[in-house]
Amino acid sequence: MDLSFTPEEQKFREEIRAWVKDNLPQDISHKVHNALELTRDDMQRWARILGKKGWLGYGWPVEFGGPGWTAVQKHLFEEETALAGAPRIVPFGPVMVAPVIQAFGNAEQHKRFLPGIASGEVWWSQGYSEPGSGSDLASVKTRAERKGDKYIVNGQKTWTTLGQYGEWIFCLVRTSNEGKPQTGISFLLIDMKSPGVTVRPIKLMDGGHEVNEVFFDNVEVPAENLIGEENKGWTYAKHLLSHERTNIADVNRAKRELERLKRIAKREGVWEDTRFRDEIAKLEVDVVALEMLVLRVLSAATSGKNSLDIAGLLKIKGSEIQQRYSELMMLAAGPFALPLIREAMAAGWQGDFPGGHSELAPLSTTYFNMRKTTIYGGSNEVQRNIVAQTVLG
C-alpha cells in the first residue's frame, strides 16, 4: 500500500496551508491552540470566512456549489485547518443536514436552504436524541401530525449541542405508529423562531453551557419543510449518521492535541519518564491507525460504497482517543490541572501558576467535557453491537 501523497496533492496541501495562514484570525487560533472557550462570534466568523471562499461546504459536489474535492483533498483540508488552530466547523449545517437535503430534498429545498448553509449565515441544530431515545434512536416519540398543509409538532429533544444559537433545527419526528418503529419516522426542518419552540440550557459538569433541551408545544411547521417522503426519515437519518460518525472521529484535532500533549509533557518534566512516554507512543500509534481508517471511509464514500459500518468503528476509536489525550494531559500537569473558573477566565485571568503555566488552566474542563464522547452519537456499547452484527457477522 502506497501511503504517500502525489505531487499534485502535496501542492494542494501547500495552497490550503498558505490560505489558512493568511485568513485565519490569530485571536481565534490562539484560543484553539490553548483550549480556550470559543464564542458564537468566533465560530461564526470563521464559518463566514470559509463560506466567502466557498469552502464551508468543502465536502459538497460542484453541482451544489462545493469545490468537488476528492477524498484525499478533503482530508488534507481538514488536517491543515486543524493543525493551524482553526475551529472545528460546526457540523450540523454543512456536514450533516446539507448532504441529506442534497440527496433527498427537492429543487425548491435546495434553493431555499443550501445557500445559507454554504455561506455560514444560518446556524443549524440537530434534533435527534430525546429522553429515553438516544442510542435507540428508532424509539423517538416527538409527534408530527399532518393537518392540511402543516404539521403540528409536540415533544422534546435533548442534548442539543449549541442549540442556544440555533436558527433552524432538523428533527426526526414520528408521523406513524404502524409497523416497525423505524417505518413511522419522518425528517422535518423546523424554524426555531416558530411559536411554541422553547430552548432550555443544560449545565455540564465543567460549568459550561454547550447542550440544551428543546421543547415543541403545538409548533406549526409547513409541510413543504418535510424532506423526502413521509415515514422514510429513518433512511435519511442513516445517511446523515454516516457523516456524523466520520466527523465525530475528529482525527485531525487528535493529531493537533497529540502535539499539545507532547509540549505539556516536556514543559512539566514528565517527558523523560519512560513509562509516560510509552503511553504517548501508544496514543500516537492509535491516532495514525485512526487516520488510515478515516481515509478508508472517505475512499468508500467516493466510490459509492456504504461506509456506515466502518463509520461506527471510527466513532468508537475516535471518541476513546479524545478521552485518552485529555487524561494524559491531566496526568502530565499534575496539581496544576486546576478546575477552570469560567468567570475569571472570561475576564482574562489564566491562573496563578508559577513559571507562567497558564496554558494548563483549561485542562480540567477539557477532561470533564470529553467524558461525553463515548456516549453521544450512539454509545460505544451500542456501536460495538452494530459492528459485531454487520461487520463481523
Side-chain angles (χ1 to χ4, degrees):
M1 181 181 294
D2 184 7
L3 296 179
S4 60
F5 295 106
T6 66
E8 292 77 16
E9 289 164 347
Q10 291 288 10
K11 182 181 178 182
F12 176 83
R13 179 199 289 275
E14 292 167 5
E15 291 172 352
I16 295 294
R17 183 179 299 165
W19 184 87
V20 172
K21 181 180 179 182
D22 291 339
N23 290 275
L24 175 62
Q26 290 302 303
D27 61 317
I28 294 179
S29 64
H30 171 76
K31 286 185 175 182
V32 172
H33 279 305
N34 293 281
L36 302 176
E37 190 168 10
L38 294 166
T39 65
R40 172 181 176 158
D41 178 68
D42 293 330
M43 293 181 277
Q44 198 88 352
R45 188 159 35 123
W46 177 236
R48 286 173 176 146
I49 291 171
L50 289 174
K52 187 175 181 180
K53 181 67 174 175
W55 286 355
L56 185 58
Y58 67 95
W60 297 13
V62 174
E63 57 264 35
F64 290 111
W69 288 339
T70 66
V72 172
Q73 287 175 319
K74 287 185 284 188
H75 175 75
L76 292 174
F77 170 80
E78 292 171 346
E79 182 173 64
E80 289 303 318
T81 51
L83 294 179
R88 183 169 176 251
I89 291 174
V90 178
F92 309 113
V95 179
M96 295 184 183
V97 75
V100 174
I101 295 173
Q102 291 167 7
F104 305 106
N106 57 43
E108 180 59 32
Q109 290 168 337
H110 295 164
K111 182 179 179 181
R112 180 182 177 192
F113 293 110
L114 293 180
I117 298 175
S119 67
E121 294 297 323
V122 181
W123 191 294
W124 282 81
S125 299
Q126 180 183 26
Y128 269 30
S129 293
E130 300 178 6
S133 299
S135 296
D136 181 20
L137 200 54
S139 65
V140 294
K141 294 180 176 61
T142 295
R143 179 77 182 173
E145 184 179 359
R146 181 72 180 259
K147 289 190 176 181
D149 60 353
K150 297 178 181 178
Y151 285 96
I152 307 301
V153 180
N154 286 279
Q156 176 188 356
K157 298 294 180 179
T158 193
W159 310 121
T160 308
T161 303
L162 302 177
Q164 68 269 33
Y165 305 141
E167 295 164 296
W168 281 81
I169 185 169
F170 56 93
C171 288
L172 292 184
V173 295
R174 183 155 301 284
T175 45
S176 174
N177 289 311
E178 298 179 4
K180 292 183 178 180
Q182 292 89 337
T183 61
I185 293 174
S186 297
F187 197 101
L188 202 59
L189 310 181
I190 302 175
D191 186 342
M192 294 187 73
K193 298 184 295 295
S194 303
V197 177
T198 303
V199 180
R200 295 180 186 170
I202 298 174
K203 288 290 185 178
L204 300 181
M205 64 189 304
D206 67 353
H209 174 199
E210 184 183 21
V211 292
N212 304 267
E213 296 176 289
V214 181
F215 296 88
F216 303 93
D217 183 12
N218 290 321
V219 177
E220 296 185 0
V221 181
E224 63 191 27
N225 290 6
L226 175 73
I227 295 295
E229 298 180 43
E230 192 173 277
N231 300 327
K232 294 292 182 67
W234 187 251
T235 299
Y236 315 147
K238 289 193 296 182
H239 182 80
L240 183 148
L241 285 171
S242 66
H243 293 271
E244 181 189 27
R245 288 174 186 149
T246 305
N247 192 261
I248 282 175
D250 215 356
V251 63
N252 296 303
R253 180 169 68 166
K255 292 171 71 173
R256 183 187 69 221
E257 294 303 292
L258 176 64
E259 295 307 309
R260 180 167 169 246
L261 168 62
K262 292 177 182 178
R263 292 197 302 270
I264 291 172
K266 290 173 183 177
R267 179 159 185 174
E268 297 307 306
V270 296
W271 181 255
E272 301 307 319
D273 184 324
T274 304
R275 289 186 177 180
F276 193 87
R277 208 158 65 228
D278 284 348
E279 293 302 312
I280 296 178
K282 287 190 288 186
L283 175 62
E284 186 158 12
V285 168
D286 279 350
V287 170
V288 173
L290 178 65
E291 183 178 22
M292 296 302 103
L293 200 56
V294 167
L295 290 173
R296 181 181 172 190
V297 169
L298 295 175
S299 177
T302 301
S303 63
K305 297 178 181 177
N306 185 356
S307 60
L308 181 59
D309 299 336
I310 302 176
L313 291 172
L314 279 174
K315 195 276 172 179
I316 294 169
K317 293 305 299 181
S319 59
E320 291 176 346
I321 284 172
Q322 290 170 33
Q323 290 184 348
R324 283 173 57 198
Y325 66 63
S326 66
E327 290 169 357
L328 288 173
M329 287 181 190
M330 288 276 283
L331 288 172
F336 291 118
L338 297 174
L340 173 67
I341 304 174
R342 287 184 172 274
E343 294 80 3
M345 289 285 285
W349 180 82
Q350 294 286 304
D352 298 322
F353 301 111
H357 293 219
S358 61
E359 74 277 3
L360 305 183
L363 289 183
S364 61
T365 190
T366 302
Y367 171 82
F368 287 134
N369 193 281
M370 288 299 177
R371 299 303 91 199
K372 69 188 179 187
T373 63
T374 50
I375 301 172
Y376 65 31
S379 71
N380 283 14
E381 291 79 7
V382 170
Q383 291 304 315
R384 287 189 174 91
N385 285 339
I386 293 173
V387 169
Q389 294 166 4
T390 61
V391 179
L392 304 179

